[in-house]
Amino acid sequence: MSTTGSPPTVADVVAALDRRYPPAWAEEWDRVGLVVGEPTNPVRRIACVVDVVPETVDEALAAGADLIVAHHPLLLRGVSSVAATTYKGRIVHRLIKSDVALYVAHTNADVADPGVSDALAARFGLTGLRPLHRPRPGSPADGPGRGIGRIGELPTPMTLAELARHAAAVLPATAWGVRAAGDPGRMVRTLAVSGGSGDSFLGEATAAGVDAFLTADLRHHPAGEHLAAGGPALLDAAHWATERPWLDDLAAQLRGELGVETVVSDLDTDPWTVHAAAPRPDDKEPPP
Ligand SMILES: [Zn+2]
């Protein structure tokens, strides 16, 4: 820790992040923690990103960052090569050559309290927050307030159609925007939110008795069958937009605890870059 005026080291930052987001809290399949980095290197500036892609690495290097904290693992599945001839290997090479460390906090940051979905819930002003999906009792992540996703009450009830428009306005802007499934006139008071892919929590949203559930990456069959069974209305936002709010919390914590400078990436890394709505019947045909 920086008590003598010297900047914290990569090891100091890792220790601080590991305290807030213990790696043992991550799902078994997940891969979190320090990915690239020399523990003794000083860290003056940290870049916070959702995805480690060439564009966000460019941003971090241009900002003079010494360390990148990312939400999504760069290397999730087994790799046998990080040669610069591969997409991810090229990123690893750029980081090492530039002496920039990389740390990942993924499902361990989702489950934490406060975690990724607290920042998402805050965009909607939800109150009385409680977890949507609690960790298995006795598992390392089990603890008060912890769990993936949050449930809370909207400050003002609104219809599903109004909530979809509201969500598109309060979430970071993307081409995808927000789509909703269910009766557009259905009143929503209690909302569940889960940053990232929330397909697997549809049953828990139903069991919790919420009016609507906002997440990302929802699919035709699970969504349709969930609604047919009387489940809550669904809002499907861009994956990046549901996790970007957390970066502000992360950056504030790093500044406060370590005295480092931070930069937060607003680069939309969602793969969907074009959204076209079908023309309404009274719309004129566009000129050729
Ligand atoms: Zn995600």
Side-chain angles (χ1 to χ4, degrees):
M1 210 70 52
S2 174
T3 47
T4 58
S6 57
T9 62
V10 168
D12 292 331
V13 179
V14 168
L17 285 164
D18 282 356
R19 275 193 300 276
R20 189 171 165 114
Y21 307 120
W25 291 1
E27 299 283 331
E28 234 168 78
W29 50 263
D30 205 1
R31 297 293 178 265
V32 300
L34 191 65
V35 181
V36 169
E38 189 67 65
T40 54
N41 274 6
V43 178
R44 291 180 180 81
R45 195 168 295 162
I46 298 177
C48 303
V49 308
V50 172
D51 289 298
V52 186
V53 293
E55 294 80 4
T56 54
V57 171
D58 283 347
E59 264 191 342
L61 297 190
D66 307 298
L67 186 150
I68 297 173
V69 180
H71 186 46
H72 291 147
L74 173 67
L75 306 171
L76 182 61
R77 299 192 172 86
V79 258
S80 53
S81 165
V82 288
T85 47
T86 65
Y87 173 75
K88 291 185 176 183
R90 205 151 47 237
I91 293 174
V92 170
H93 274 72
R94 279 199 75 205
L95 293 173
I96 293 174
K97 280 186 183 168
S98 315
D99 226 1
V100 171
L102 170 63
Y103 180 96
V104 167
H106 190 213
T107 51
N108 48 332
D110 288 326
V111 81
D113 177 27
V116 173
S117 290
D118 286 289
L120 176 58
R123 293 277 175 134
F124 293 89
L126 297 186
T127 54
L129 292 182
R130 49 209 186 271
L132 170 63
H133 168 82
R134 290 178 198 274
R136 192 167 36 78
S139 68
D142 186 24
R146 292 204 286 268
I148 296 178
R150 293 291 181 268
I151 296 169
E153 318 305 318
L154 284 169
T156 315
M158 54 185 104
T159 66
L160 177 62
E162 287 165 345
L163 179 59
R165 282 193 294 275
H166 180 64
V170 298
L171 292 178
T174 57
W176 176 262
V178 176
R179 62 179 179 178
D183 174 4
R186 179 176 183 161
M187 285 306 291
V188 181
R189 288 176 183 82
T190 307
L191 177 65
V193 297
S194 190
S197 306
D199 248 346
S200 54
F201 308 129
L202 291 174
E204 278 154 301
T206 302
V210 301
D211 301 311
F213 175 35
L214 179 140
T215 185
D217 300 341
L218 292 177
R219 291 169 297 156
H220 178 94
H221 291 296
E225 288 165 23
H226 160 91
L227 290 172
L234 300 173
L235 296 110
D236 188 46
H239 190 129
W240 173 83
T242 62
E243 296 176 329
R244 159 64 185 84
W246 169 69
L247 301 182
D248 293 324
D249 286 2
L250 171 69
Q253 180 238 333
L254 292 167
R255 284 194 305 273
E257 191 173 340
L258 298 163
V260 293
E261 293 171 29
T262 56
V263 285
V264 170
S265 176
D266 263 316
L267 194 80
D268 172 8
T269 51
D270 221 63
W272 311 108
T273 54
V274 176
H275 176 95
R280 289 174 306 218
D282 53 348
D283 281 352
K284 288 211 170 67
E285 187 86 359

